[in-house]
Amino acid sequence: MSERHVAKADALATEWHQGELRKYSHEPYIEHPRAVAAIIRSVPLHTWELVAAALLHDVLEVPEPARSHRAEVIRDELGEVVLQYVLEVSNPSRREDGNRKTRKAIDRAHLANASPSGQTLRLADAVHNLHNLNELSPTFAKLYAAEKQLILPLTLSGDATLHLRVKIIIEEILSS
């Protein structure tokens, strides 16, 4: 694994998430992509490109022109494969596309075209997002778990262990 490239991805993610906090835990946002990267590292046959993409998986969910600039930097610094994975898991919906239900449908349609690696990355993101959400916000946890339940059929080519973990966490949240 190219630790130099992973370190570059971490530096970019740290810069681009500077000052951001997680909504319910209020921890520095960078801790989320680092946790997702750690989950990806636990997956057999992970690549440095997928670990780097895990670190950068949320950085393109910003308005233009920042989105295009960041995509160019990722391509130039880390290559087309990393950018592809980040694009596969970046939600394309915007507030102006409609209500949350409509936006999430747009995002699922986009996810349906993701590669197995992109699906694995989406599952790792879900594992971390779901892991303590029920403690932090039980009401939102139920909504989010129901939304994530809808991605399960779209991520069958992703890592099977992560897929099962997401499924179990969702079931626990929805039955509580």
Side-chain angles (χ1 to χ4, degrees), residues 3-18:
E3 289 303 323
R4 180 176 58 84
H5 290 98
V6 171
K8 179 63 178 178
D10 186 83
L12 289 170
T14 300
E15 175 186 341
W16 290 334
H17 288 304
Q18 185 67 40

Side-chain angles (χ1 to χ4, degrees), residues 45-71:
L45 305 176
H46 64 272
T47 63
W48 73 263
E49 290 96 343
L50 193 53
V51 174
L55 289 162
L56 296 165
H57 77 274
D58 283 334
V59 301
L60 296 184
E61 293 179 3
V62 295
E64 291 293 352
R67 179 182 170 98
S68 294
H69 171 72
R70 289 178 180 187

Side-chain angles (χ1 to χ4, degrees), residues 4 15 33 52 56 65 85 89 97 100-101 104 106 110-111 122 125-126 130 141 156 160 166 173:
R4 180 176 58 84
E15 175 186 341
L56 296 165
Y85 295 155
V89 299
D97 292 330
R100 184 177 176 92
K101 184 177 180 181
K104 293 305 169 186
I106 292 167
H110 175 72
L111 178 61
R122 176 52 70 217
D125 180 49
L130 288 163
L156 293 171
V166 171
I173 291 171

Side-chain angles (χ1 to χ4, degrees), residues 2-170:
S2 176
E3 289 303 323
R4 180 176 58 84
H5 290 98
V6 171
K8 179 63 178 178
D10 186 83
L12 289 170
T14 300
E15 175 186 341
W16 290 334
H17 288 304
Q18 185 67 40
E20 295 177 7
L21 300 176
R22 296 273 287 165
K23 185 172 184 175
Y24 295 106
S25 69
H26 307 291
E27 69 182 349
Y29 196 89
I30 189 61
E31 298 309 320
H32 168 63
R34 286 178 177 156
V36 174
I39 293 167
I40 289 296
R41 285 183 187 269
S42 75
V43 172
L45 305 176
H46 64 272
T47 63
W48 73 263
E49 290 96 343
L50 193 53
V51 174
L55 289 162
L56 296 165
H57 77 274
D58 283 334
V59 301
L60 296 184
E61 293 179 3
V62 295
E64 291 293 352
R67 179 182 170 98
S68 294
H69 171 72
R70 289 178 180 187
E72 284 179 32
V73 171
I74 293 168
R75 179 184 292 116
D76 292 348
E77 299 286 334
L78 299 164
E80 195 66 44
V81 172
V82 174
L83 178 59
Q84 174 192 329
Y85 295 155
V86 173
L87 287 169
E88 287 178 353
V89 299
S90 293
N91 291 328
S93 69
R94 300 289 176 255
R95 285 219 179 268
E96 57 270 15
D97 292 330
N99 63 23
R100 184 177 176 92
K101 184 177 180 181
T102 300
R103 293 191 316 268
K104 293 305 169 186
I106 292 167
D107 297 340
R108 283 191 307 276
H110 175 72
L111 178 61
N113 297 312
S115 66
S117 292
Q119 292 177 32
T120 295
L121 179 49
R122 176 52 70 217
L123 290 165
D125 180 49
V127 166
H128 187 254
N129 281 335
L130 288 163
H131 86 282
N132 66 345
L133 191 55
N134 211 22
E135 299 162 21
L136 297 170
S137 178
T139 303
F140 182 69
K142 289 200 183 303
L143 170 66
Y144 188 78
E147 291 171 348
K148 291 303 149 198
Q149 194 169 41
L150 297 174
I151 74 161
L152 290 174
L154 306 175
T155 54
L156 293 171
S157 296
D159 180 78
T161 301
L162 291 182
H163 194 274
L164 181 60
R165 281 176 69 185
V166 171
K167 184 178 178 192
I168 290 169
I169 297 168
I170 288 170

